[in-house]
Amino acid sequence: MPVLAVGVPEELSARVPVEQREPGLDRDGVRLLVSRGTEVSHHAFAELPGLLRAGDLLVVNTSPTLAAAVDGRVGHARVVVHFSTRGDDGRWAVELREPDGRGTTRARTEMTGVPRARAEEGEGVEGRGCGGLAGTRVRLPGGARLVLEEPLSARGERLWWARVSGAGVPALLREHGRPIRYSYTERDQPLSVYQTVFALPYADGTGSAEMPSAARPFTAPLVAELVSRGVQFAPVTLHTGVASAESHEPPYPERFAVPEASARLINAARAGDGRVVAVGTTAVRAVESAAGADGVVRARTGWTDLVVTPERGVRVVEGLLTGLHEPEASHLLMLEAVAGRAAIDRGYEAAVRGRYLWHEFGDVHLLLP
């Protein structure tokens, strides 16, 4: 059942970045819908410095986007491996999908009538759910091999823990990977299109399978203007895994870090007159995972399985800058936790009427107290 009743016409999907839709514009050329409770106003994203105030704190995710899609073969069948999350033991959580003939992918079809021995040898495997069978072998470029070992979660078999041999995964992604692309987009894009201005490289090659897209409209000049007006930035990290394009399931556990310096900035803003505004749902998940029941944020590094819902609520975040999500997306529960159901209903109705654009290359929504 959809979280929201509003319908989003297909033509409101942003198929390419704004700088390709409208030459002459930069990333900050997208539109900005602002919700203050149920009051809605319409702006250009470049107006953001005038909508915030000195002392406000923007929490930003420094995770870089990975070229996480790699072509492979299971037996004679073509597959696309989406590398999601690096485990502490060196394995990676992956999703096996099949090409759809249009440059994107679809969930793999149900496996029928394939003996287990043949599946383990990679022969004739047509998929099971969205993944495969334990022991399924995938041939990757450059002589690398991937073996599915066990499902990531008891919730289903879309994501599997897998072990790669014959190549390191970071090198494999650099040499043979491309950004994950969804069916509403028009064409493949270079990885640079998916990197935000806040992205930092990580020595172990980890990053996000999908772009922390709420931060995409920021440019270096816009960041400089915000700083000059007294807005501060608190960097955190959350390496986001692949979302389900079909079922909009809640997020799986993800690696995150909230540094000591950022924890201090957040606590200081809350103790003063500043508002803590998260840039993206990933930043919300990281900060709220580091917040105690007393609302104090402490430095933390590890894995989080927190799902922010209206029932759980938020302890720290007062505002949220986010993209526009599909009406059935689980992320909307987090938006409702931050701003309330009435604000989300009103904002999304206004976004549809105003012909705002959806998804990672689309317009953005600022939720303020």
Side-chain angles (χ1 to χ4, degrees):
M1 177 179 293
V3 177
L4 295 180
V6 64
V8 181
E10 185 179 346
E11 65 267 20
L12 295 186
S13 294
R15 303 190 183 283
V16 295
V18 62
E19 61 271 25
Q20 297 175 21
R21 293 195 302 268
E22 302 182 46
L25 293 183
D26 204 340
R27 291 178 172 215
D28 60 4
V30 297
R31 300 169 68 193
L32 176 64
L33 179 73
V34 179
S35 293
R36 295 180 178 87
T38 56
E39 295 183 5
V40 175
S41 58
H42 305 273
H43 304 267
F45 185 79
E47 297 175 49
L48 180 64
L51 297 167
L52 300 176
R53 61 194 188 209
D56 284 346
L57 180 70
L58 293 177
V59 182
V60 297
N61 187 2
T62 60
S63 179
T65 308
L66 301 175
V70 178
D71 292 325
R73 286 189 176 273
V74 176
H76 300 295
R78 295 175 57 209
V79 297
V80 179
V81 181
H82 286 178
F83 284 84
S84 179
T85 305
R86 181 184 179 275
D88 293 334
D89 60 0
R91 296 186 299 175
W92 281 74
V94 302
E95 179 181 10
L96 265 58
R97 296 177 67 86
E98 59 186 27
D100 64 0
R102 300 188 299 273
T104 54
T105 64
R106 59 183 169 235
R108 300 189 72 208
T109 54
E110 192 74 21
M111 177 179 291
T112 55
V114 179
R116 181 175 183 82
R118 287 177 57 201
E120 292 180 345
E121 292 301 319
E123 293 298 326
V125 177
E126 295 298 334
R128 179 181 177 186
C130 296
L133 285 174
T136 296
R137 292 178 171 85
V138 183
R139 301 193 307 277
L140 298 171
R145 295 287 188 274
L146 177 150
V147 179
L148 300 186
E149 293 191 347
E150 59 183 331
L152 179 66
S153 166
R155 294 208 310 250
E157 296 185 350
R158 183 175 71 86
L159 290 174
W160 284 72
W161 285 117
R163 200 170 296 277
V164 176
S165 60
V169 173
L172 178 72
L173 300 187
R174 284 195 303 270
E175 294 178 23
H176 303 288
R178 60 185 180 277
I180 292 174
R181 178 186 157 205
Y182 292 112
S183 58
Y184 49 77
T185 57
E186 186 174 293
R187 55 180 175 270
D188 285 343
Q189 298 284 350
L191 184 59
S192 60
V193 167
Y194 291 86
Q195 299 296 6
T196 75
V197 72
F198 305 111
L200 297 173
Y202 286 78
D204 62 359
T206 53
S208 289
E210 296 182 348
M211 171 177 53
S213 56
R216 189 184 189 277
F218 284 88
T219 62
L222 185 64
V223 171
E225 184 179 353
L226 286 162
V227 171
S228 73
R229 289 174 177 251
V231 176
Q232 295 182 294
F233 290 83
V236 299
T237 300
L238 187 133
H239 296 311
T240 184
V242 295
S244 169
E246 290 81 26
S247 62
H248 303 286
E249 63 202 4
Y252 287 86
E254 293 168 322
R255 297 174 70 185
F256 82 105
V258 175
E260 177 66 35
S262 293
R264 291 179 181 176
L265 284 170
I266 294 166
N267 293 330
R270 297 189 71 239
D273 296 327
R275 298 169 295 185
V276 177
V277 179
V279 177
T281 57
T282 60
V284 176
R285 197 180 198 202
V287 169
E288 293 292 326
S289 296
D294 55 2
V296 175
V297 176
R298 298 171 176 86
R300 281 194 63 192
T301 300
W303 291 81
T304 178
D305 59 3
L306 175 66
V307 178
V308 178
T309 64
E311 292 71 28
R312 189 267 187 190
V314 287
R315 297 171 177 172
V316 176
V317 172
E318 300 165 82
L320 173 60
L321 180 71
T322 182
L324 292 165
H325 304 281
E326 293 182 355
E328 63 270 27
S330 61
H331 288 313
L332 289 171
L333 294 174
M334 180 185 289
L335 273 62
E336 186 177 337
V338 173
R341 178 59 182 261
I344 305 306
D345 284 340
R346 182 69 180 273
Y348 272 64
E349 289 167 2
V352 172
R353 286 198 309 271
R355 310 292 291 175
Y356 280 71
L357 297 182
W358 258 249
H359 303 304
E360 67 266 32
F361 296 140
D363 298 314
V364 282
H365 188 191
L366 176 62
L367 300 160
L368 290 175

